[in-house]
Amino acid sequence: FDPRHYLGTHCYGFPKTGPHRLRFLLESVKDLRETLKKKGSSLVVRKGKPEDVVCDLITQLGSVSAVAFHEEVREI
């Protein structure tokens, strides 16, 4: 979870993620974790700037051969 998503936007100062969206995200992550656990896998969830968190995870795991991500599209 990127803390910047819970600050005001650059245009109008409204939060990018309000309480209803946050609840939906938390419930979705919980459901995904439970589904993965039933299939013998797990889910890593972290709070922080992705550029820092991913780097730390790679360092902790030590044997990462690839990292995939997507970038949020910003409207101009």
Side-chain angles (χ1 to χ4, degrees), residues 2-10 12-18 49:
D2 187 340
R4 295 172 289 195
H5 285 216
Y6 307 96
L7 304 173
T9 62
H10 64 280
Y12 302 105
F14 294 110
K16 291 180 76 166
T17 304
K49 293 180 179 179

Side-chain angles (χ1 to χ4, degrees), residues 21-35:
R21 183 174 183 193
L22 177 59
R23 182 177 316 144
F24 172 77
L25 288 172
L26 293 173
E27 290 173 356
S28 297
V29 168
K30 180 181 177 184
D31 182 64
L32 177 59
R33 176 177 270 154
E34 291 170 359
T35 300

Side-chain angles (χ1 to χ4, degrees), residues 36-50:
L36 289 170
K37 186 176 180 180
K38 289 176 185 175
K39 296 183 180 289
S41 190
S42 63
L43 178 66
V44 175
V45 178
R46 297 287 186 266
K47 176 184 169 189
K49 293 180 179 179

